[in-house]
Structures are given as C-alpha cells and as structure tokens.
Amino acid sequence: MDDARRSADSDLEQARAALERGEMHHAAGYLAGAIAHAPTLPETHELLRHLADRADDALELFPIEQHAFVGTVVARAHLLAAAGHPEDGLSLLVAASGHTPGADWAGVPWVSDPDLAERLEPGLLARTVMQLCTAIGDPAPESSRPALQPYLTLVSRAIEANPEHAMLLGAGSALARRLGEATQAVEWALRGARLRPAKLSEIWLGYAYRSAGRIPESLAALRRAVMYDPSDLSLYADIAGTLADADRLDDALSWINRALSIDPTFDCAVHTGHRLRYRADGDLAHLIRLADFQRDHPDDSHEHTDLAECCADQPWLSRVPSAPGMPADPTRAPYPAPGPGAPPGYPSIDAVERLHRVAHPLWPSPPAAYDAALGLMLVDPDDLLALIALPPVTPSTELGRALAAHDPALWDRCAQVWACLGLLHHGTDEPWAESARRRHLVALATGGLDTITEAALFALITYAWVDPSAREDVATLVTARLEDAADTPGLAWSVAHLLLATPDVPAAARSRATELVQAEEEHAVSLIPQQRTGRTGRLRRWLSGH
C-alpha cells in the first residue's frame, strides 16, 4: 500500500504540473495513473474535478478504446457520474471491478450516496449487476469481497426503493451469494420467485439455496426450472453437480445420462459426466476421454475446470511429486555437445531464462502442461538436453526463492520435467514413430534409472494424452520401465504413479503399479516423503494458492 500511495503521489505531482502548463492530455494520463494506484484518494478526485472545470470536454481526455487502461476507464466513470450520467459511470466501474475485483474502484462517495439507488432505473441496474457477477467469480475470492461490498450496498438500497422488481431481486441474490451473504441471497431470490415465477427466478433461487447449504430446496427449485425449459441441458448438469456434492452419485449420473441422451456433445454434461464417473470409480479412462473431448471441441460454451479438479494434487497428473535428490545414473550416456557459441558444457543464457519463465512444479493437467511448454520451442534441443543433464539454479523469483529454501531437489526435477516437455515441441511435423522428439525422449527414459528417467517418461505420457496415436507406444514403454525400476526404492513409487497417469495401460500393468505404490508406502520407505503433510505439503499449498 505504501508503494501504491507513493506512485499515486508522484503521478499527482506530474498531473498538477501538466495542468498548470495547460497540457490537458498529459494531465489526464497522470491522473489515470494515480487513480489506478489509489482509487479512493481524495486528492486525485479533487484534481480530476479541476481538470473537468478547465477542459473543453474532459471526457475526450479519457477515451474508451480497445484494451483501454483501467485508470482511464475509472476516471471516465467518475466524470460521467459527475455529469449526471451515473448509470453509464457505474457500468464502467463494474467493468473495472471485473478486470481487478480486489481493487476498491467503487469505494467512492457517488456510489455510496443513498440517493443513487433511487436515480438508477432498476432494470438497467439489474443488468449491470449481472455483468459484474459474470466477472468476479462464483464465489468471489474472499480477498475481493470488501472492495465489492459497495455494489451490494447499492443493490440493497435499490431493492428498498423497488421492492417488487423481480429481476433486480434475482440479480441482487446472485451478487449476495457470490459475496458470501447466503441468507440475504435466499431472501431476495425467494421474493423474486414469488413475484414472477419463471425459469430464471427458479435458477436464482436454486443457486441461493445451494450456497446456503439447503440442498433439498436447491434441487426442488432447479427441477422447477427444468419444467419451464426441458431443453436447457445446463440445468441438468447443475442438478447433477448439486446431487454429487450431496454424495448422491447415482442420482447425479442419472441426470447426466438424461442430458447426454438429448445431446451427446453438450459440453457441460460431457465435462460433468466424466468428472463424476472418475469420482465414482477412479478410472483414468474417464479423464482421457474428457481430454479428448476438450481437444476435439475447442469452442465450448464456457471454460470448464472439471479435468483440473480431477487431476488436482495427484502425483504427475498435476505436480512433480517431492523426493530427495538423486544423482544421475552413472551408466547414462553424456548429453550431446552444445551448439556453436554456447558456453562449454552448458546451454545459452536465453535457454535458461526461457526455462525459468515456464518451469513450475504444478500444472492443471497433462494437456495444460503440454500447452504451457510451447515457448520452449524457441530453445535449441541441444540446450534442452543440457538443461536436463545439469539443471540451472533456481530463478530469482518468489517461486525460485521458496523452492531453494524449502525443497531444492524439487526445483531440479521440475527443471528436468519442463525441459523434456520442451522437446515435444520440436519437429512436430515429423510422424511420432520416426520423430526426433520421440527418439530423444525414449533415449532419456531408457538410458538409466534416475530423475531424468521420470522426467522423460512424464513428457512421453503427456504426449500420449494429446495424441491418441502415440498411446500404445507410450504405454508399452512405461510398462517396461516400471519393471526395470521396481527394485529401486523411491523411484519405483514415482514410476508407478507415472504408469497410473498413462493412457491405455493394460489392466495387469495398472494393478502392478498400484501394488508397488501400496507396498512402498506401507513400508514407509525413506525415499518416499509424505506427500500431503509437513513442510512439503505446506510448500505445495503455498504454490497452488490454497
């Protein structure tokens, strides 16, 4: 906060100087910067009023263009409100809050003015509130809620002024539940549904009940919404999700099957169905089919997180599992010599910087890791091989410092994993079976038994997720490497988890991997650290933001 205030004060000083010189555009630019740094600073708003008094058309100084600066948007919002157009100003403030929900854009006098609620047309306010709801998350993050509270206060006053406006009651309910006000959300949604029984009213009521933990009432409302519109398959998925949260998986899958019988490609039902089936039996095939669906249907109705939710916190599906440092297998062949101009025995500075930018011990899912490694196509394969053989020091970032302090071995393994993923993005026009990327990774995976082995295996497995034609080849290789690693404590556990993350592995191999995992965990082998507790667990929670 101190840095933000200093930056705002600096911008204000520059704005005053520009205003004294009559340089209106420069003054406006500095004022926009000050607002972005400290949105509620009284001195900024006072200077904005002076600028408006002196300029022929202050609004022209804060144009709304594509990719407009957020400070410019907010300054224009304040000018519109001062000019008697608060509805237009509020719409711009909402856009800013959608961009950065945690910033206190609405904590200004004109928004908190009790008279504003009576001046706004309730239908327009309801639509503006729904615009806000779509942008702030459901629920909104705890850290963002204080900054969003002025909107809820405004809605509450508007409902007092318009107690029978059903749409405003529903929109207000949607905002209240996002901000953790479940009781208020239920009250407003119930009033709205009684005033105007309709599909949307029942949806708002169902969601409000669900946020309050009143699952039977939530399901009843959502079922009534289906009766209004049996063709809205998103409601079937919502009901299924609510039933699953209540541990009624069979009933949940029944609703999903009803939706899929109507439209087998409806994205919400497909995503929810695969997630629930995986939750029911733990079969990786559900996640593979979901990944295939995502790849074949890139234009889904909205972003889905089902695959990431299923992969979360599982070794190799979403993270590099922690393990003590392990030296390279002495039987492993040396990596190729670096290219011309590179430092002897090590990659270029550019290669290290690019790896630092992408390498992270966590990822949402294997396909997401594949996509995130795309930038490494700009790193020469020889440099990637050098980074695998000798990982660089941790980056000088918050992530790098945390890993260096708490789990330096994890950084080395992380760097090797991402360098191997980078190899997948070279020579992508070559057929997989004869490709250089396969040749490199197979050589790394079979050239020894060490952390390079698991990094290369993970890259091969990741490719099998994104290219079905590679699955049989990769499954055969991983199965063979599991037997090779079975007598290597720690590594056997890791490779077994890699096999469990591999598409199309035979049932017998999957059973063998499960046995190895259980055997090593039951015997508390020292090379297998606890994955969910202690310092490593705390580090992983910090890395994931939980």
Side-chain angles (χ1 to χ4, degrees):
M1 293 298 294
D2 290 341
D3 288 343
R5 176 59 190 263
R6 282 194 291 269
S7 296
D9 287 342
S10 175
D11 282 336
L12 283 175
E13 182 179 352
Q14 297 281 1
R16 291 189 188 96
L19 191 58
E20 289 176 1
R21 296 191 301 269
E23 298 173 354
M24 300 301 178
H25 285 281
H26 284 125
Y30 286 118
L31 269 173
I35 288 175
H37 289 302
T40 62
L41 194 64
E43 295 93 322
T44 304
H45 293 270
E46 181 181 355
L47 192 58
L48 184 62
R49 285 193 293 272
H50 288 324
L51 177 66
D53 291 339
R54 292 188 56 181
D56 294 332
D57 187 347
L59 288 173
E60 288 188 354
L61 300 174
F62 300 94
I64 300 301
E65 302 169 338
Q66 190 175 14
H67 308 302
F69 175 51
V70 67
T72 299
V73 173
V74 175
R76 186 179 180 90
H78 296 322
L79 290 173
L80 284 167
H85 303 287
E87 66 284 352
D88 295 329
L90 188 67
S91 180
L92 290 182
L93 277 192
V94 161
S97 292
H99 179 265
T100 46
D104 194 11
W105 305 119
V108 290
W110 69 268
V111 176
S112 60
D113 183 354
D115 293 338
L116 178 63
E118 297 184 6
R119 296 170 58 195
L120 295 172
E121 195 279 313
L124 178 59
L125 177 58
R127 290 190 291 274
T128 302
V129 169
M130 289 310 301
Q131 175 191 348
L132 177 65
C133 287
T134 60
I136 61 175
D138 189 3
E142 290 273 359
S143 59
S144 300
R145 294 179 186 181
L148 299 169
Q149 193 64 36
Y151 296 113
L152 188 59
T153 301
L154 172 61
V155 169
S156 180
R157 290 169 175 164
I159 289 174
E160 289 179 9
N162 304 273
E164 296 188 356
H165 198 285
M167 180 176 286
L168 182 58
L169 284 161
S173 172
L175 179 60
R177 67 181 174 81
R178 282 171 168 80
L179 300 186
E181 301 291 342
T183 301
Q184 183 67 82
V186 169
E187 178 191 335
W188 284 344
L190 191 57
R191 286 170 56 186
R194 288 170 177 168
L195 283 166
R196 185 183 296 175
K199 169 188 163 182
L200 186 55
S201 299
E202 296 293 357
I203 291 174
W204 276 326
L205 181 57
Y207 291 168
Y209 276 136
R210 187 169 63 188
S211 69
R214 298 168 62 174
I215 302 304
E217 294 101 321
S218 172
L219 290 168
L222 293 174
R223 289 189 180 106
R224 290 194 296 271
V226 171
M227 293 176 65
Y228 280 108
D229 184 3
S231 67
D232 186 348
L233 300 186
S234 64
L235 288 172
Y236 294 58
D238 283 341
I239 291 172
T242 303
L243 287 164
D245 290 342
D247 292 325
R248 295 171 58 183
L249 275 179
D250 290 341
D251 291 338
L253 287 170
S254 175
W255 277 91
I256 287 299
N257 290 335
R258 287 175 60 182
L260 293 175
S261 69
I262 298 171
D263 182 357
T265 65
F266 180 65
D267 58 321
C268 291
V270 172
H271 282 259
T272 302
H274 285 308
R275 174 171 58 84
L276 296 184
R277 291 187 180 93
Y278 178 74
R279 176 175 164 181
D281 61 22
D283 188 345
L284 185 75
H286 301 306
L287 303 190
I288 301 301
R289 286 195 283 269
L290 177 52
D292 289 345
F293 181 85
Q294 283 185 314
R295 184 187 62 252
D296 296 338
H297 298 81
D299 299 323
D300 281 353
S301 61
H302 60 88
E303 183 179 359
H304 294 276
T305 61
D306 301 85
L307 181 58
E309 289 176 18
C310 292
C311 292
D313 204 35
Q314 298 201 53
W316 294 115
L317 286 178
S318 69
R319 61 182 174 88
V320 180
S322 294
M326 179 184 297
D329 190 325
T331 65
R332 184 176 292 281
Y335 63 89
Y346 202 65
S348 67
I349 294 175
D350 179 70
V352 173
E353 290 177 346
R354 290 185 183 278
L355 184 71
H356 278 167
R357 284 199 288 271
V358 302
H360 198 286
L362 306 178
W363 47 81
S365 66
Y370 177 83
D371 292 342
L374 179 62
L376 295 176
M377 69 180 295
L378 300 175
V379 179
D380 188 271
D382 285 347
D383 278 349
L384 291 172
L385 291 170
L387 290 165
I388 294 166
L390 186 61
V393 298
T394 56
S396 56
T397 61
E398 188 176 9
L399 168 66
R401 288 188 290 272
L403 290 174
H406 299 289
D407 199 345
L410 179 59
W411 164 253
D412 289 346
R413 298 168 71 236
C414 174
Q416 290 173 327
V417 162
W418 285 91
C420 285
L421 289 171
L423 290 172
L424 292 173
H425 292 282
H426 287 272
T428 54
D429 57 333
E430 300 174 340
W432 171 250
E434 297 83 30
S435 66
R437 61 193 190 283
R438 180 189 183 277
R439 187 167 60 252
H440 280 311
L441 289 168
V442 169
L444 292 167
T446 60
L449 288 172
D450 49 26
T451 57
I452 294 176
T453 307
E454 60 183 12
L457 286 174
F458 175 70
L460 289 162
I461 292 164
T462 296
Y463 191 74
W465 275 71
V466 301
D467 184 355
S469 69
R471 287 175 185 169
E472 182 178 358
D473 171 45
V474 172
T476 300
L477 174 64
V478 177
T479 301
R481 290 308 285 166
L482 177 64
E483 291 306 319
D484 296 335
D487 296 327
T488 306
L491 186 64
W493 180 91
S494 180
V495 175
H497 272 292
L498 282 163
L499 185 140
L500 295 174
T502 304
D504 295 357
V505 167
R510 193 168 296 279
S511 296
R512 170 68 169 148
T514 301
E515 292 171 1
L516 278 173
V517 168
Q518 292 174 345
E520 294 217 4
E521 289 180 349
E522 287 172 0
H523 288 86
V525 176
S526 62
L527 291 179
I528 305 175
Q530 291 184 331
Q531 298 291 313
R532 294 182 179 273
T533 59
R535 184 178 66 181
T536 297
R538 289 194 296 273
L539 173 62
R540 190 165 67 255
R541 288 193 295 274
W542 177 82
L543 291 170
S544 62
H546 298 304

